[in-house]
Structure formats: C-alpha cells, structure tokens
Amino acid sequence: MSLNKVILIGNVGKDPVIRYFDSGSGVANFTVATSDRGYTLANGTEIPERTEWHNIVANRDRVQFVEKYIKKGSLVYIEGKIRTRNYDDQSGTKRYVTEIYADRIEFYTADRREVTENVNAPVAAANAPAPSYQAAAAEPPAMPDSADDLPF
C-alpha cells in the first residue's frame, strides 16, 4: 500500500497561467508559498523564517475555478499529489521539476489576521505559564499528630 497526498495552505505567488487546448481541455499553473515562522532558541540562536515555493498544476474542472477566483495573493487550501518530471533544457542539461497536481482547491475568503489568530490560538494557550503548585492548591493536608494514625 502507498499514499501520495499533499496538503498545502498558502498564498498564491503570481497570477495563474491558463492554457486551453484544441480539445477544449485546459491546464492552470501557479505557485503557492508556505512559510515557517522564525524563532529564537533558548540559547539565543535565531532561526529565520523559511518560505517554500510550490508549483501547482490544475486541470479538468479546476481550471475554470482557478481562472475565475485565484489571483496573486489569494490564500488557498490545496490537496493533491506530488509528481516529479524531468526534461533537457536548451543547453542539454537535465532539469527536474517537482509539481503538485491539485485534486482539490479551495479559495479562502477569511481575513488573514483571523486565520492567523485561529491557527495560533492553541499555541498561545500552550505557551502560557502553568500555574504553580502553591497557586493551584488551597492548603496542603495536615499531617497526623502521631505515627500511630498512619494506615500502614
């Protein structure tokens, strides 16, 4: 058994390029950027933000959707399959291209700040300081006066 599935949520980098063929079918190509936020380690080392660019290929009925709704800056959700192809460029050098063949594309209309707040809400709660034992406990139980009262 095998599985080839990619899920991306990111921003479209440039307006899609749409091509239609004589048969009436078409293909849409565009890029999507996904970013990991930068952070600082406990020892002070700063890890910069990292952005990955993904080449998206949409065909069949998804072409009309992309043509009508997707544009540079759109926030999109994409499910698809990863495929790698190769070709020889003009100088004869073999080139490899990795693409995401989209099975599902959803256009996000939500405000980016709202999406960011929703995504980060659990993280903010997880990073909140845990209450200390003294703050959580009302009063420790009293110790028995003699060792004879112990149950063992």
Side-chain angles (χ1 to χ4, degrees):
M1 180 176 173
S2 64
L3 175 67
N4 181 356
K5 183 165 188 146
V6 176
I7 298 175
L8 299 172
I9 298 176
N11 294 91
V12 175
K14 60 182 178 177
D15 289 336
V17 174
I18 312 291
R19 293 187 314 254
Y20 286 100
F21 306 107
D22 293 337
S23 64
S25 64
V27 65
N29 297 84
F30 59 98
T31 58
V32 170
T34 57
S35 296
D36 294 327
R37 289 188 177 194
Y39 57 94
T40 304
L41 298 174
N43 65 6
T45 304
E46 290 191 26
I47 307 299
E49 179 177 300
R50 180 183 170 119
T51 300
E52 293 287 336
W53 287 94
H54 311 276
N55 298 313
I56 310 299
V57 178
N59 53 21
R60 300 190 184 119
D61 57 339
R62 290 171 290 281
V63 174
Q64 288 82 21
F65 176 82
V66 169
E67 186 174 37
K68 187 173 181 180
Y69 296 107
I70 304 300
K71 63 180 193 273
K72 180 180 179 178
S74 298
L75 182 60
V76 293
Y77 170 91
I78 296 174
E79 287 183 24
K81 296 175 185 66
I82 191 166
R83 291 188 185 169
T84 304
R85 61 182 173 89
N86 60 52
Y87 66 94
D88 294 327
D89 68 8
Q90 292 176 346
S91 64
T93 305
K94 187 169 278 237
R95 300 285 182 177
Y96 294 89
V97 179
T98 301
E99 299 168 317
I100 307 302
Y101 277 72
D103 294 326
R104 180 177 176 183
I105 300 173
E106 291 185 19
F107 180 63
Y108 278 57
T109 58
D111 181 70
R112 287 185 195 175
R113 286 174 294 167
E114 179 182 314
V115 172
T116 303
E117 288 171 8
N118 289 341
V119 169
N120 291 329
V123 175
N127 290 336
S132 65
Y133 174 74
Q134 275 86 12
E139 183 113 4
M143 293 297 292
D145 289 335
S146 85
D148 294 336
D149 292 47
L150 295 175
F152 49 90

